[in-house]
Amino acid sequence: MTRASTAADALVARLRPIWPAPTSLRVAHWPRVRARGDDFLVLPSVRRPVLLIPAARTTAAGAIVRHDDGQRARASLRLLAWAQAHGLLRWAPVGRVRVQGDSAVRTSGVLAAVHAAVPDADAVVVRLGRPRHGRTVVLQALDRAGTSVAFAKCAWGDRVADLRLEHRNLVDVADAPAPGVRSPGVLDYSEVGDGAALVLEALVPSAPVDDDPGVPVEAMQALAGARGWEPATLASSPVLTRLTADIATVADPEARAWLGRERDRLVRELGDCATRVGGWHGDWVPWNMAREPEGVLLWDWEHHQQGVLPGFDHVHYLAQDLRQRAGTTTAVEDDWLACAREALRGDWGLSADEAEATIRSYLLVVNLRYVTDREGDPTGANERTGWGRDLLGRLGADAHSLDGGGLR
């Protein structure tokens, strides 16, 4: 079997849930001069499929550069978008997927749900993203002007539960909106066969924001307190209760053991710490948000929860931003600890013990998430690089000292 045929088979396997049998899917590496109307162009290539563009829809050009999401496109993407807008990309030696059958393009599975929820959609683009175990597929609907009008997150099998949860979270957030935070409105949620589609409005900033004001602390605080704050000790907090129950369900015995040990040590050392609990988005990072003068637009709510300690979103934002910019070395982790402690003490008004309780319980939550997200991953990778087991092991009653009432 050649590398080309292997790549084609892998692509068809990823697309099969979108176009289930009896729809026929065929990948062409060296296409004919002119693509057919039911073809999807594969960008950047069949071996590295990220985006599928309907060949006959010039309006899909906007999806290539994501211009209406405020992202700056590279010159190569702008060239591809120009070619698609002028009907030329279908003539290029670009790989394509040929979709054939009675239930082909509009009426197949999750695509039918998208077209039903967004009748004005002129083109629907498939955004695969980089391959990763359990990753959802995103469908982007564009109108005749090439502007995004909706996005649909699609999942199958055991991942449907995650999408169902995100739907409930978005309904919950809409019921208690936080000032300065705008979440996407739900246009439709449907489960079709073993799959599901959550169709959301396309959030567009009300006006451009030229300057980056840094971490959106006020918006994070508004979301955290949107349903009020409740007093608690760390040991009695809902986040610790969930950790206890969820760690017990981890399939891998070694991962279950070390997570359980760290959870028990945290309770022994800081369980009596008096604090308060509120909500968090769960994955508030620079690439899940956009700025507008009134606040922020925020996507991807599948991890939204109540009952967590103050500052969870803040320390997560700092951690993910640092991971992307500086890596995952011990020195970078230490930089994060310093920034996180300063933010929790200054912006959130926490005591030294409260700040440490927030940091360590947050680390347990994200490491448990990493482990459970990758259960069933054929690569067997279920331990996080950076911000993981080693960092948790370095923290604790003997791993920090108090200096004038503050952690260092």
Side-chain angles (χ1 to χ4, degrees), residues 256-335:
R256 184 172 65 249
W258 79 259
L259 287 165
R261 286 194 300 269
E262 290 298 339
R263 185 267 176 199
D264 293 344
R265 186 163 70 94
L266 175 58
V267 172
R268 285 196 308 271
E269 295 171 358
L270 289 169
D272 293 335
C273 175
T275 184
R276 64 191 192 275
V277 294
W280 76 313
H281 171 268
D283 196 18
W284 198 323
V285 291
W287 50 93
N288 272 350
M289 58 171 278
R291 307 273 186 175
E292 62 180 357
E294 299 82 9
V296 298
L297 288 66
L298 199 52
W299 294 269
D300 292 345
W301 290 81
E302 60 266 34
H303 296 297
H304 171 61
Q305 285 180 329
Q306 296 295 128
V308 303
L309 275 62
F312 258 43
D313 273 323
H314 198 155
V315 296
H316 181 71
Y317 186 104
L318 293 173
Q320 294 301 97
D321 185 44
L322 266 176
R323 286 173 67 92
Q324 290 291 317
R325 291 189 294 105
T328 57
T329 65
T330 298
V332 177
E333 290 176 339
D334 287 341
D335 287 343

Coordinates of all heavy atoms in Angstrom, one line a residue, residues 256-335:
R256 N -4.7 6.4 37.9 CA -5.7 6.5 39.0 C -5.0 6.6 40.3 O -5.4 7.4 41.2 CB -6.6 5.3 38.9 CG -7.8 5.4 40.0 CD -8.8 4.3 39.8 NE -8.2 3.0 40.0 CZ -8.0 2.1 39.0 NH1 -8.3 2.3 37.8 NH2 -7.5 0.9 39.3
A257 N -3.9 5.9 40.5 CA -3.2 5.9 41.8 C -2.5 7.2 42.0 O -2.7 7.8 43.2 CB -2.2 4.7 41.8
W258 N -1.8 7.8 41.1 CA -1.1 9.0 41.4 C -2.0 10.2 41.5 O -1.8 11.1 42.3 CB 0.1 9.2 40.4 CG -0.3 9.8 39.0 CD1 -0.4 9.1 37.9 CD2 -0.5 11.2 38.7 NE1 -0.6 10.0 36.8 CE2 -0.7 11.2 37.3 CE3 -0.5 12.4 39.4 CZ2 -1.0 12.4 36.6 CZ3 -0.8 13.6 38.8 CH2 -1.0 13.6 37.4
L259 N -3.1 10.2 40.7 CA -4.0 11.3 40.9 C -4.7 11.2 42.2 O -4.9 12.2 42.9 CB -5.1 11.2 39.8 CG -4.6 11.6 38.4 CD1 -5.6 11.2 37.3 CD2 -4.5 13.2 38.3
G260 N -5.0 10.0 42.7 CA -5.6 9.8 44.0 C -4.7 10.2 45.1 O -5.1 10.8 46.1
R261 N -3.4 9.9 45.0 CA -2.4 10.3 46.0 C -2.3 11.8 46.1 O -2.3 12.3 47.2 CB -1.1 9.7 45.7 CG -0.9 8.2 46.0 CD 0.5 7.7 46.0 NE 1.2 8.0 44.7 CZ 1.2 7.1 43.7 NH1 0.6 5.9 43.8 NH2 1.8 7.4 42.6
E262 N -2.3 12.5 45.0 CA -2.1 13.9 45.0 C -3.4 14.5 45.5 O -3.3 15.6 46.3 CB -1.8 14.4 43.6 CG -0.5 14.1 43.1 CD 0.6 14.7 43.9 OE1 0.4 15.7 44.7 OE2 1.8 14.2 43.9
R263 N -4.6 14.0 45.2 CA -5.8 14.5 45.8 C -5.8 14.3 47.3 O -6.2 15.3 48.0 CB -7.0 13.8 45.1 CG -8.4 14.3 45.5 CD -8.9 13.6 46.7 NE -10.2 14.2 47.1 CZ -10.7 14.0 48.3 NH1 -10.1 13.2 49.2 NH2 -11.9 14.5 48.6
D264 N -5.4 13.2 47.8 CA -5.4 12.9 49.2 C -4.4 13.9 49.9 O -4.7 14.4 51.0 CB -5.1 11.5 49.5 CG -6.1 10.5 49.0 OD1 -7.3 11.0 48.8 OD2 -5.8 9.3 48.9
R265 N -3.2 14.1 49.3 CA -2.2 14.9 49.9 C -2.7 16.4 50.0 O -2.5 17.1 51.0 CB -0.9 14.9 49.1 CG 0.2 15.6 49.8 CD 1.5 15.2 49.2 NE 1.7 15.6 47.8 CZ 2.3 16.7 47.4 NH1 2.8 17.5 48.3 NH2 2.4 17.0 46.1
L266 N -3.4 16.8 48.9 CA -4.0 18.2 48.9 C -5.0 18.3 50.1 O -5.0 19.4 50.8 CB -4.6 18.4 47.6 CG -5.4 19.8 47.4 CD1 -4.5 20.9 47.7 CD2 -6.0 19.9 46.0
V267 N -5.8 17.4 50.3 CA -6.8 17.5 51.3 C -6.2 17.5 52.7 O -6.5 18.2 53.6 CB -7.9 16.3 51.2 CG1 -8.8 16.3 52.4 CG2 -8.7 16.5 50.0
R268 N -5.1 16.6 52.9 CA -4.4 16.6 54.2 C -3.8 18.0 54.5 O -3.8 18.4 55.6 CB -3.3 15.5 54.2 CG -3.8 14.1 54.3 CD -2.7 13.2 54.7 NE -1.5 13.3 53.8 CZ -1.3 12.6 52.7 NH1 -2.3 11.7 52.3 NH2 -0.3 12.8 52.0
E269 N -3.2 18.6 53.5 CA -2.4 19.8 53.7 C -3.3 21.1 53.7 O -2.9 22.0 54.4 CB -1.3 19.9 52.6 CG -0.3 18.8 52.8 CD 0.7 18.7 51.6 OE1 0.6 19.5 50.7 OE2 1.6 17.8 51.7
L270 N -4.3 21.1 52.9 CA -5.1 22.4 52.7 C -6.6 22.1 52.8 O -7.3 23.1 52.5 CB -4.7 23.0 51.4 CG -3.3 23.6 51.3 CD1 -3.0 24.0 49.8 CD2 -3.2 24.9 52.2
G271 N -7.0 21.0 53.2 CA -8.5 20.7 53.2 C -9.3 21.6 54.0 O -10.5 21.9 53.7
D272 N -8.7 22.1 55.1 CA -9.5 23.0 56.0 C -9.4 24.5 55.6 O -10.0 25.3 56.3 CB -8.9 22.9 57.4 CG -9.1 21.5 58.1 OD1 -10.1 20.9 57.7 OD2 -8.4 21.1 58.9
C273 N -8.8 24.8 54.5 CA -8.6 26.1 54.0 C -10.0 26.7 53.7 O -10.8 26.2 52.9 CB -7.8 26.2 52.8 SG -7.6 27.8 52.0
A274 N -10.4 27.8 54.3 CA -11.7 28.5 54.1 C -11.6 29.3 52.8 O -10.6 30.1 52.6 CB -12.0 29.4 55.2
T275 N -12.5 29.1 51.9 CA -12.5 29.8 50.6 C -13.9 30.0 50.2 O -14.9 30.0 51.0 CB -11.7 29.0 49.6 OG1 -11.6 29.7 48.3 CG2 -12.3 27.6 49.3
R276 N -14.1 30.3 48.9 CA -15.5 30.4 48.3 C -15.4 29.8 46.9 O -14.4 29.6 46.3 CB -15.9 31.9 48.2 CG -15.1 32.7 47.3 CD -15.4 34.2 47.5 NE -14.8 35.0 46.4 CZ -13.6 35.5 46.4 NH1 -12.8 35.2 47.4 NH2 -13.2 36.3 45.5
V277 N -16.6 29.4 46.4 CA -16.6 28.8 45.1 C -17.6 29.5 44.2 O -18.6 30.0 44.6 CB -17.0 27.3 45.2 CG1 -15.9 26.5 46.0 CG2 -18.4 27.1 45.9
G278 N -17.2 29.5 42.9 CA -18.1 30.1 41.9 C -17.9 29.2 40.6 O -17.7 28.0 40.6
G279 N -18.0 29.9 39.4 CA -17.9 29.2 38.2 C -16.7 29.5 37.4 O -15.9 30.4 37.7
W280 N -16.5 28.7 36.3 CA -15.4 29.0 35.4 C -15.8 28.5 34.0 O -16.6 27.6 33.9 CB -14.0 28.5 35.9 CG -13.8 27.0 35.7 CD1 -14.6 26.0 36.1 CD2 -12.6 26.4 35.2 NE1 -14.0 24.7 35.8 CE2 -12.7 25.0 35.3 CE3 -11.4 26.9 34.8 CZ2 -11.8 24.1 34.9 CZ3 -10.4 26.0 34.4 CH2 -10.6 24.6 34.5
H281 N -15.2 29.1 33.0 CA -15.4 28.7 31.6 C -14.8 27.3 31.4 O -15.4 26.4 30.7 CB -14.8 29.7 30.6 CG -14.8 29.3 29.2 ND1 -13.7 28.6 28.7 CD2 -15.7 29.4 28.2 CE1 -13.9 28.3 27.4 NE2 -15.1 28.8 27.1
G282 N -13.6 27.1 31.9 CA -13.0 25.7 31.8 C -11.9 25.6 30.7 O -11.0 24.7 30.9
D283 N -11.9 26.5 29.7 CA -10.8 26.5 28.8 C -10.6 27.9 28.2 O -10.6 28.1 27.0 CB -11.1 25.5 27.7 CG -9.8 25.1 26.8 OD1 -8.7 25.4 27.3 OD2 -9.9 24.6 25.7
W284 N -10.5 28.9 29.0 CA -10.4 30.3 28.6 C -9.0 30.5 28.3 O -8.1 30.6 29.1 CB -10.8 31.2 29.8 CG -11.1 32.6 29.4 CD1 -10.5 33.3 28.4 CD2 -12.2 33.4 29.9 NE1 -11.1 34.6 28.3 CE2 -12.1 34.7 29.2 CE3 -13.1 33.3 30.9 CZ2 -13.0 35.7 29.5 CZ3 -14.0 34.3 31.2 CH2 -13.9 35.5 30.5
V285 N -8.7 30.6 27.0 CA -7.4 30.8 26.4 C -7.4 31.8 25.3 O -8.5 32.1 24.8 CB -6.8 29.5 25.9 CG1 -6.5 28.5 27.0 CG2 -7.7 28.8 24.9
P286 N -6.3 32.4 24.9 CA -6.4 33.5 23.9 C -7.0 33.0 22.6 O -7.7 33.9 21.9 CB -4.9 33.8 23.7 CG -4.2 33.5 25.0 CD -4.9 32.3 25.5
W287 N -6.9 31.8 22.2 CA -7.4 31.3 20.9 C -8.9 30.9 21.0 O -9.5 30.5 20.0 CB -6.5 30.2 20.3 CG -6.2 29.1 21.2 CD1 -6.9 27.9 21.4 CD2 -5.1 29.1 22.1 NE1 -6.3 27.2 22.3 CE2 -5.2 27.8 22.8 CE3 -4.1 29.9 22.4 CZ2 -4.2 27.4 23.8 CZ3 -3.1 29.5 23.4 CH2 -3.2 28.3 24.0
N288 N -9.5 30.9 22.2 CA -10.9 30.6 22.3 C -11.7 31.9 22.5 O -12.9 31.8 22.9 CB -11.1 29.7 23.5 CG -11.0 28.2 23.1 OD1 -11.0 27.9 21.9 ND2 -11.0 27.4 24.1
M289 N -11.2 33.0 22.3 CA -11.9 34.3 22.5 C -11.5 35.4 21.5 O -10.5 35.2 20.7 CB -11.5 34.8 23.9 CG -10.0 35.0 24.1 SD -9.6 35.9 25.7 CE -10.0 37.6 25.2
A290 N -12.3 36.4 21.5 CA -12.0 37.6 20.7 C -12.4 38.8 21.5 O -13.3 38.7 22.4 CB -12.8 37.5 19.3
R291 N -11.8 39.9 21.2 CA -12.1 41.1 21.9 C -13.1 42.0 21.2 O -13.2 42.0 20.0 CB -10.8 42.0 22.1 CG -9.6 41.2 22.7 CD -9.6 41.2 24.2 NE -8.4 40.6 24.7 CZ -8.1 40.6 26.0 NH1 -8.9 41.2 26.9 NH2 -7.0 40.0 26.4
E292 N -13.9 42.7 22.0 CA -14.7 43.8 21.4 C -14.7 44.9 22.5 O -14.4 44.6 23.7 CB -16.1 43.3 21.1 CG -16.9 42.7 22.2 CD -18.3 42.3 21.8 OE1 -18.6 42.4 20.6 OE2 -19.0 41.7 22.6
P293 N -15.1 46.1 22.2 CA -15.1 47.2 23.2 C -15.9 46.9 24.5 O -15.5 47.3 25.5 CB -15.7 48.4 22.4 CG -15.4 48.1 21.0 CD -15.5 46.6 20.8
E294 N -16.9 46.1 24.3 CA -17.8 45.8 25.5 C -17.3 44.7 26.3 O -17.8 44.4 27.4 CB -19.2 45.5 25.1 CG -19.9 46.6 24.3 CD -19.5 46.6 22.8 OE1 -18.9 45.7 22.4 OE2 -19.9 47.6 22.1
G295 N -16.2 43.9 25.9 CA -15.7 42.8 26.6 C -15.1 41.8 25.7 O -14.3 42.1 24.8
V296 N -15.5 40.5 25.9 CA -14.9 39.4 25.1 C -16.0 38.5 24.6 O -17.1 38.4 25.1 CB -14.0 38.5 26.0 CG1 -12.8 39.4 26.5 CG2 -14.7 37.9 27.2
L297 N -15.7 37.9 23.4 CA -16.5 36.8 22.9 C -15.8 35.5 23.2 O -14.6 35.4 23.0 CB -16.6 37.0 21.4 CG -17.5 38.1 20.8 CD1 -17.0 39.5 21.1 CD2 -17.7 37.9 19.3
L298 N -16.5 34.5 23.6 CA -15.9 33.3 24.2 C -16.6 32.1 23.6 O -17.8 31.9 23.7 CB -16.0 33.4 25.7 CG -15.1 32.5 26.6 CD1 -13.7 32.7 26.2 CD2 -15.4 32.8 28.1
W299 N -15.7 31.2 23.1 CA -16.2 29.9 22.5 C -15.8 28.7 23.4 O -15.1 28.8 24.4 CB -15.5 29.7 21.1 CG -15.9 30.7 20.1 CD1 -17.0 30.6 19.2 CD2 -15.3 32.0 19.8 NE1 -17.0 31.7 18.4 CE2 -16.0 32.6 18.8 CE3 -14.2 32.6 20.4 CZ2 -15.6 33.8 18.2 CZ3 -13.8 33.9 19.8 CH2 -14.5 34.4 18.8
D300 N -16.3 27.5 23.0 CA -15.9 26.2 23.5 C -16.2 26.1 25.0 O -15.3 26.2 25.9 CB -14.4 26.0 23.2 CG -14.1 25.8 21.8 OD1 -15.1 25.5 21.0 OD2 -13.0 25.8 21.4
W301 N -17.5 25.8 25.3 CA -17.9 25.8 26.7 C -18.1 24.4 27.2 O -18.9 24.2 28.2 CB -19.3 26.6 26.8 CG -19.1 28.1 26.6 CD1 -19.0 28.7 25.4 CD2 -19.1 29.1 27.6 NE1 -18.9 30.1 25.6 CE2 -18.9 30.3 27.0 CE3 -19.2 29.0 29.0 CZ2 -18.9 31.5 27.7 CZ3 -19.1 30.2 29.7 CH2 -18.9 31.4 29.1
E302 N -17.5 23.4 26.7 CA -17.7 22.0 27.1 C -17.2 21.8 28.5 O -17.7 20.8 29.2 CB -17.1 21.0 26.1 CG -15.7 21.1 26.0 CD -15.3 21.9 24.8 OE1 -16.0 22.9 24.5 OE2 -14.2 21.6 24.1
H303 N -16.3 22.6 29.0 CA -15.7 22.4 30.4 C -16.3 23.3 31.4 O -15.8 23.3 32.5 CB -14.2 22.4 30.3 CG -13.6 21.4 29.4 ND1 -13.6 20.0 29.7 CD2 -12.8 21.5 28.3 CE1 -13.0 19.4 28.8 NE2 -12.5 20.2 27.9
H304 N -17.3 24.1 31.1 CA -17.9 25.1 32.0 C -18.4 24.3 33.2 O -19.1 23.3 33.1 CB -18.9 25.9 31.3 CG -19.8 26.7 32.2 ND1 -19.2 27.7 33.0 CD2 -21.1 26.7 32.5 CE1 -20.2 28.3 33.7 NE2 -21.3 27.7 33.4
Q305 N -18.1 24.8 34.4 CA -18.6 24.2 35.7 C -18.8 25.3 36.7 O -18.2 26.3 36.7 CB -17.6 23.2 36.2 CG -17.6 21.9 35.4 CD -16.6 20.9 36.0 OE1 -15.6 21.3 36.6 NE2 -16.9 19.6 36.0
Q306 N -19.6 24.9 37.7 CA -19.8 25.7 38.9 C -19.0 25.0 40.0 O -18.6 23.8 39.9 CB -21.2 25.8 39.3 CG -22.1 26.6 38.3 CD -21.7 28.1 38.3 OE1 -21.4 28.6 37.2 NE2 -21.5 28.7 39.4
G307 N -18.8 25.6 41.1 CA -18.2 25.0 42.3 C -16.7 24.9 42.3 O -16.2 24.0 43.0
V308 N -16.0 25.8 41.6 CA -14.6 25.8 41.6 C -14.1 27.0 42.4 O -14.8 28.0 42.6 CB -14.0 25.8 40.2 CG1 -14.5 24.6 39.4 CG2 -14.3 27.1 39.5
L309 N -12.8 27.0 42.8 CA -12.2 28.0 43.6 C -12.0 29.3 42.7 O -11.8 29.2 41.5 CB -10.9 27.5 44.2 CG -11.1 26.8 45.5 CD1 -11.9 25.5 45.4 CD2 -9.7 26.5 46.1
P310 N -11.9 30.4 43.3 CA -11.6 31.7 42.5 C -10.3 31.6 41.8 O -9.3 31.2 42.2 CB -11.6 32.8 43.6 CG -12.3 32.2 44.8 CD -12.0 30.7 44.8
G311 N -10.4 32.1 40.5 CA -9.2 32.3 39.7 C -8.8 31.1 38.8 O -7.8 31.1 38.2
F312 N -9.7 30.1 38.8 CA -9.4 28.9 37.9 C -9.1 29.4 36.5 O -8.2 28.9 35.8 CB -10.5 27.9 37.9 CG -10.3 26.7 38.8 CD1 -9.7 26.9 40.1 CD2 -10.6 25.5 38.4 CE1 -9.4 25.8 40.9 CE2 -10.4 24.3 39.2 CZ -9.8 24.5 40.5
D313 N -10.0 30.2 35.9 CA -9.8 30.6 34.5 C -8.6 31.4 34.3 O -7.9 31.3 33.3 CB -11.0 31.5 34.1 CG -12.2 30.6 33.5 OD1 -11.9 29.6 32.8 OD2 -13.3 31.0 33.7
H314 N -8.2 32.2 35.3 CA -7.1 33.1 35.2 C -5.8 32.3 35.2 O -4.9 32.5 34.3 CB -7.0 34.1 36.4 CG -6.2 35.3 36.3 ND1 -6.4 36.4 36.9 CD2 -5.0 35.5 35.5 CE1 -5.4 37.3 36.6 NE2 -4.6 36.7 35.7
V315 N -5.6 31.3 36.1 CA -4.4 30.5 36.1 C -4.3 29.6 34.9 O -3.2 29.3 34.4 CB -4.2 29.7 37.4 CG1 -4.1 30.6 38.6 CG2 -5.4 28.7 37.6
H316 N -5.5 29.2 34.4 CA -5.5 28.4 33.1 C -5.0 29.2 31.9 O -4.2 28.7 31.1 CB -6.9 27.8 32.9 CG -7.0 26.9 31.7 ND1 -6.4 25.7 31.6 CD2 -7.6 27.2 30.5 CE1 -6.7 25.1 30.4 NE2 -7.4 26.0 29.7
Y317 N -5.5 30.4 31.8 CA -5.1 31.3 30.8 C -3.6 31.5 30.8 O -3.0 31.5 29.7 CB -5.9 32.6 30.9 CG -5.7 33.6 29.8 CD1 -6.7 33.8 28.9 CD2 -4.6 34.4 29.7 CE1 -6.6 34.8 27.9 CE2 -4.5 35.4 28.7 CZ -5.5 35.5 27.8 OH -5.3 36.5 26.8
L318 N -3.1 31.8 32.0 CA -1.7 32.1 32.1 C -0.8 30.8 31.7 O 0.2 30.9 31.0 CB -1.3 32.5 33.5 CG -1.9 33.9 34.0 CD1 -1.6 34.1 35.5 CD2 -1.3 35.0 33.2
A319 N -1.3 29.7 32.1 CA -0.6 28.4 31.8 C -0.6 28.1 30.4 O 0.5 27.8 29.8 CB -1.2 27.3 32.6
Q320 N -1.7 28.2 29.7 CA -1.8 27.8 28.3 C -1.0 28.9 27.4 O -0.4 28.5 26.4 CB -3.2 27.7 27.8 CG -4.0 26.6 28.5 CD -3.3 25.2 28.2 OE1 -2.5 24.7 29.0 NE2 -3.6 24.7 27.0
D321 N -1.1 30.1 27.8 CA -0.4 31.2 27.1 C 1.1 30.9 27.2 O 1.9 31.0 26.2 CB -0.7 32.5 27.6 CG -0.1 33.7 26.8 OD1 -0.1 33.6 25.5 OD2 0.4 34.6 27.4
L322 N 1.6 30.6 28.4 CA 3.0 30.3 28.6 C 3.5 29.1 27.8 O 4.6 29.0 27.2 CB 3.4 30.2 30.1 CG 3.8 31.5 30.8 CD1 4.0 31.2 32.2 CD2 5.1 32.0 30.2
R323 N 2.7 28.0 27.9 CA 3.0 26.8 27.2 C 3.2 27.1 25.7 O 4.2 26.5 25.1 CB 1.9 25.8 27.3 CG 1.8 25.1 28.7 CD 0.6 24.3 28.8 NE 0.6 23.1 27.9 CZ 1.1 21.9 28.3 NH1 1.6 21.7 29.6 NH2 1.2 20.9 27.5
Q324 N 2.4 27.9 25.1 CA 2.5 28.1 23.7 C 3.7 29.0 23.4 O 4.4 28.8 22.3 CB 1.2 28.9 23.2 CG 0.0 28.0 23.2 CD 0.0 26.9 22.1 OE1 0.5 27.2 21.0 NE2 -0.4 25.7 22.4
R325 N 4.0 30.0 24.2 CA 5.1 30.9 23.9 C 6.4 30.5 24.3 O 7.4 30.8 23.7 CB 4.7 32.3 24.5 CG 3.6 33.0 23.9 CD 3.4 34.4 24.5 NE 3.1 34.5 25.9 CZ 4.0 34.8 26.8 NH1 5.3 35.1 26.5 NH2 3.6 34.8 28.1
A326 N 6.5 29.7 25.5 CA 7.8 29.5 26.1 C 8.1 28.0 26.3 O 9.3 27.7 26.7 CB 7.9 30.2 27.4
G327 N 7.2 27.1 26.1 CA 7.5 25.7 26.3 C 7.0 25.1 27.6 O 6.2 25.7 28.3
T328 N 7.5 24.0 28.0 CA 7.0 23.3 29.2 C 8.1 22.9 30.1 O 8.0 21.9 30.8 CB 6.2 22.0 28.7 OG1 7.1 21.2 27.9 CG2 5.0 22.4 27.9
T329 N 9.2 23.6 30.2 CA 10.3 23.3 31.1 C 10.0 23.6 32.5 O 9.0 24.4 32.8 CB 11.6 24.1 30.7 OG1 11.4 25.5 30.8 CG2 11.9 23.8 29.2
T330 N 10.8 23.1 33.4 CA 10.6 23.4 34.8 C 10.7 24.9 35.1 O 10.0 25.5 35.9 CB 11.7 22.7 35.7 OG1 11.5 21.3 35.5 CG2 11.5 23.0 37.2
A331 N 11.6 25.6 34.4 CA 11.8 27.1 34.6 C 10.5 27.8 34.2 O 10.1 28.8 34.8 CB 13.0 27.6 33.8
V332 N 9.9 27.4 33.1 CA 8.6 28.0 32.6 C 7.5 27.7 33.6 O 6.7 28.6 33.9 CB 8.3 27.5 31.2 CG1 6.9 28.1 30.8 CG2 9.3 27.9 30.2
E333 N 7.4 26.5 34.1 CA 6.5 26.2 35.2 C 6.6 27.1 36.4 O 5.7 27.6 37.0 CB 6.6 24.7 35.6 CG 6.1 23.7 34.5 CD 6.3 22.3 35.0 OE1 7.2 22.1 35.9 OE2 5.7 21.4 34.4
D334 N 7.9 27.3 36.8 CA 8.1 28.2 37.9 C 7.7 29.7 37.6 O 7.2 30.4 38.5 CB 9.6 28.1 38.3 CG 10.0 26.8 39.0 OD1 9.1 26.1 39.4 OD2 11.2 26.5 39.0
D335 N 8.0 30.1 36.4 CA 7.5 31.4 36.0 C 6.0 31.5 36.1 O 5.4 32.5 36.6 CB 7.9 31.8 34.6 CG 9.3 32.0 34.4 OD1 10.0 32.3 35.4 OD2 9.8 32.0 33.3

